[in-house]
């Protein structure tokens, strides 16, 4: 039964706040890694596990969250996740060694995996079915804006305080969310209580999803299959996935109910959520690297550039929800969102070394509108046919696919950047020869400039070649990032036909009592 009045809104604010804790922590740590590395005396490889450990634990728990909510009660599981997340946030900030911090981040990831999907399931049960568009829009405020504003908040905290405070800020917010959850959220039946635990399913899920996420997180930095452990994890991911699906389809009490894939909207929605994650997390990854490595912005400036787009998403979300409630087909709105995302990448793919803050503002605002048009309709389409216990299962699987899409996006774009930079560099170097008039003119001009500053002919020539080497490097990097933007946009554009595999329906037609 849906809630009404004040209670409906206080539960809505509570679950959005709790999900924001998890989503912001996905990206807020990234800007603090150099500070953590220096403070704890760790290598870059070691400190990367602060992010990887959290992501792996998070994505393992996501598909299990529906089963855990059914076994222990959705309210109990949600409340426990908030409390554990809050306590471990303090432990992360108080960690004295890198091993401690990685361990606490893994536990934080386990608790965080229970926040986002359970929050979405609670929200969808709190609002009437005919207002599912509004409920999804409100949840989307956290899901889309969280990863976007995380670097902004992290950059500001690190610049003005110290890195432990990126964890300490969770404590008062988590305490308030726990109190409101205990006071206002209604308990749901413990559907799985007393039933056998599918331990083999849990083990196979951990192996399959954990191995896959680790490969995606560490593959590029480890030169992919050049490292034996990446190859072993890839094999275990493939075999684990096959065995896990077989186990869950054959056991009487699965931890992941693949039976919900009988709903065509949800089955197709798994793929569209994957594409959404690819675009959302991939663009949030590429843009800061592009700004800081090439345009010379610091972390706080980059975060401030992303903020107006996030604000645009916040403003648009309620309007998108109302449009869905009025019966405008979600497929049409998502198509517009995918097209706007393509426009965003098309504009940034034309960047030059002279690109400034004003040049990227409009594309980022377009991305903000596009993300609002994407998240709400795509999630609404995927979840519209699910009811009761299926909500928790569907929410977990849907959020897992979005997270995996983000990991695939980051891994793919990182590999493309690595490969294409070498290709572009080799192409540009073909112009560095004594038979190329523009090269000779530039070399002569630079040499004369250095000689005018008192350098000898030999030193001036050497410095001129170094300057040209720097130009080639920067130009090859620019062309590489342009490629990454193009590929992100094309993936989104070519995914539009998937939307029309989902049936058209008005939300009010799906109204059901829980």
């Amino acid at each position: 039964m849906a809630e009404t009045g004040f209670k409906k809104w206080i539960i809505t604010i509570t679950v959005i706040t709790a999900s924001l804790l998890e989503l912001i922590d996905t990206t807020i740590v990234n800007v603090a890694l150099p500070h953590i590395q220096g403070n704890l005396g760790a290598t870059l490889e070691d400190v990367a596990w602060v992010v990887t450990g959290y992501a792996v634990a998070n994505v393992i728990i996501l598909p299990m969250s529906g089963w855990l909510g059914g076994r222990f009660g959705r309210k109990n599981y949600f409340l426990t996740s908030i409390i554990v997340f809050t306590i471990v946030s303090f432990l992360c900030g108080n960690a004295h060694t890198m091993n401690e911090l990685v361990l606490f981040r893994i536990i934080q990831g386990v608790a965080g995996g229970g926040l986002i999907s359970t929050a979405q399931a609670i929200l969808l049960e709190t609002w009437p079915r005919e207002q599912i568009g509004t409920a999804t829009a409100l949840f989307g405020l956290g899901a889309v804006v969280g990863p976007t504003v995380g670097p902004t908040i992290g950059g500001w905290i690190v610049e003005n305080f110290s890195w432990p405070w990126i964890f300490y800020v969770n404590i008062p917010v988590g305490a308030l969310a726990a109190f409101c959850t205990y006071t206002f959220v209604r308990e749901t039946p413990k559907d799985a209580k007393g039933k056998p635990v599918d331990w083999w399913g849990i083990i196979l899920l951990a192996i399959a999803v954990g191995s896959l996420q680790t490969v995606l997180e560490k593959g590029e930095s480890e030169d992919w299959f050049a490292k034996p452990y990446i190859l072993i994890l890839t094999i275990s991911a493939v075999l684990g996935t096959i065995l896990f699906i077989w186990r869950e389809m054959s056991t009487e009490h699965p931890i992941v109910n693949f039976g919900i894939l009988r709903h065509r909207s949800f089955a197709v929605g798994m793929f569209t959520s994957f594409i959404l994650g690819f675009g959302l997390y991939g663009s949030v990854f590429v843009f800061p690297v592009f700004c800081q490595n090439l345009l010379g912005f610091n972390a706080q400036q980059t975060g401030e550039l992303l903020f107006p787009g996030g604000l645009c998403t916040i403003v648009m979300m309620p309007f998108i929800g109302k449009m869905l409630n009025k019966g405008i087909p979600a497929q049409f709105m998502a198509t517009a969102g995918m097209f706007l995302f393509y426009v965003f990448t098309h504009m940034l793919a034309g960047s030059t070394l002279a690109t400034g803050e004003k040049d990227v503002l409009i594309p980022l605002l377009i991305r903000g509108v596009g993300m609002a048009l994407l998240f709400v309709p795509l999630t609404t389409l995927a979840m519209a046919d699910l009811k009761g216990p299926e909500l928790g299962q569907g929410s977990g699987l849907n959020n897992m696919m979005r997270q995996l899409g983000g990991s695939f996006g980051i891994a793919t774009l990182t590999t493309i950047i690595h490969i294409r930079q070498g290709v572009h560099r080799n192409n540009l170097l073909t112009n560095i020869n004594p038979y190329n008039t523009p090269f000779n003119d530039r070399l002569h001009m630079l040499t004369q400039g250095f000689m005018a500053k008192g350098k000898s002919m030999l030193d001036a020539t050497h410095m001129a070649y170094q300057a040209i080497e720097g130009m080639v490097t920067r130009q090859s990097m620019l062309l590489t990032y342009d490629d990454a933007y193009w590929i992100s946009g094309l993936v989104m554009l070519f995914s539009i036909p998937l939307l029309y595999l989902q049936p058209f329906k008005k939300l009010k037609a799906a109204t059901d009592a829980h």
Side-chain angles (χ1 to χ4, degrees), residues 86 111 167 248 292 428 454:
T86 305
F167 299 111
E248 298 309 281
Q292 293 176 46
L428 291 172

Side-chain angles (χ1 to χ4, degrees), residues 457-512:
M457 178 67 176
L458 184 62
D459 288 342
T461 302
H462 180 67
M463 293 173 70
Y465 272 109
Q466 286 184 319
I468 290 174
E469 164 66 19
M471 294 176 193
V472 169
T473 299
R474 286 171 60 81
Q475 285 289 345
S476 61
M477 287 176 64
L478 175 66
L479 293 170
T480 299
Y481 289 123
D482 288 350
D483 288 346
Y485 287 127
W486 268 115
I487 290 168
S488 297
L490 290 174
V491 166
M492 196 69 75
L493 197 63
F494 290 149
S495 299
I496 290 176
L498 282 174
L499 301 173
Y500 296 92
L501 296 176
Q502 294 173 295
F504 284 83
K505 62 173 65 180
K506 290 188 177 181
L507 296 179
K508 291 184 180 180
T511 303
D512 275 296

Side-chain angles (χ1 to χ4, degrees), residues 70-397:
R71 188 168 188 84
F72 300 107
R74 198 170 289 160
K75 174 181 177 177
N76 293 337
Y77 177 52
F78 189 58
L79 180 60
T80 302
S81 296
I82 295 173
I83 292 171
V84 172
F85 191 93
T86 305
I87 292 172
V88 177
S89 292
F90 168 77
L91 296 175
C92 285
N94 203 46
H96 295 95
T97 67
M98 183 54 59
N99 289 337
E100 283 182 16
L101 181 56
V102 171
L103 173 63
F104 294 143
R105 279 286 284 175
I106 291 172
I107 299 172
Q108 192 182 41
V110 170
L115 289 179
I116 182 170
S117 297
T118 314
Q120 186 177 14
I122 291 172
L123 194 61
L124 291 175
E125 287 196 325
T126 299
W127 284 70
R129 294 291 286 179
E130 63 269 20
Q131 295 180 348
I132 189 174
T134 302
T136 304
L138 291 168
F139 177 76
L141 291 177
V144 176
V145 176
T148 304
V149 302
T152 308
I153 297 171
W156 184 82
I157 290 174
V158 169
E159 291 292 328
N160 293 279
F161 298 95
S162 57
W163 69 262
W165 281 96
I166 64 177
F167 299 111
Y168 291 153
V169 293
N170 294 334
I171 296 172
V173 181
L176 180 61
F179 171 78
C180 291
T181 299
Y182 179 78
T183 306
F184 297 105
V185 174
R186 185 177 65 246
E187 185 55 275
T188 55
K190 300 176 183 178
D191 302 300
K193 186 177 180 181
K195 296 179 180 178
V197 177
D198 180 19
W199 290 109
W200 276 112
I202 293 173
I203 292 168
L204 290 170
L205 175 65
I207 292 172
V209 179
S211 298
L212 176 59
Q213 184 71 12
T214 304
V215 168
L216 294 173
E217 292 276 340
K218 304 295 290 183
E220 171 60 26
S221 62
E222 298 284 19
D223 198 20
W224 293 106
F225 302 121
K227 287 291 180 70
Y229 90 90
I230 295 292
L231 179 61
I232 292 170
L233 286 176
T234 303
I235 295 171
S236 69
V238 173
L239 292 178
T241 300
I242 294 170
L243 292 172
F244 173 69
I245 293 173
W246 171 79
R247 171 69 185 181
E248 298 309 281
M249 296 293 285
S250 60
T251 187
E252 190 176 347
H253 302 288
I255 57 165
V256 175
N257 178 19
F258 285 114
I260 59 176
L261 293 174
R262 69 185 185 278
H263 300 292
R264 182 152 56 99
S265 285
F266 181 76
V268 178
M270 295 271 284
F271 290 99
T272 54
S273 291
F274 184 90
I275 299 301
L276 175 63
F278 190 105
L280 173 62
Y281 290 98
S283 58
V284 170
F285 163 73
V286 172
F287 182 77
V289 176
F290 166 68
C291 287
Q292 293 176 46
N293 288 358
L294 205 57
L295 302 184
F297 299 164
N298 61 35
Q300 188 168 343
Q301 287 175 313
T302 304
E304 289 169 354
L305 282 174
L306 288 167
F307 189 75
L311 191 62
C312 193
T313 303
I314 292 173
V315 172
M316 286 295 298
M317 284 286 191
F319 294 104
I320 305 299
K322 288 180 180 179
M323 291 164 69
L324 282 170
N325 291 339
K326 289 180 179 179
I328 296 175
Q331 286 90 339
F332 294 166
M333 298 170 68
T335 298
M338 286 185 171
F339 180 75
L340 286 177
F341 187 89
Y342 172 76
V343 171
F344 150 73
T345 58
H346 176 77
M347 293 177 73
L348 285 186
S351 299
T352 69
L353 294 175
T355 295
E357 295 182 14
K358 293 181 180 178
D359 300 307
V360 300
L361 179 61
I362 298 299
L364 288 173
L365 291 176
I366 292 173
R367 176 188 178 276
V369 176
M371 279 297 156
L373 283 164
L374 277 171
F375 184 89
V376 183
L378 290 182
T379 307
T380 301
L381 280 170
M383 304 295 291
D385 291 336
L386 306 185
K387 297 180 289 293
E390 290 181 342
L391 279 173
Q393 290 277 357
S395 178
L397 283 172

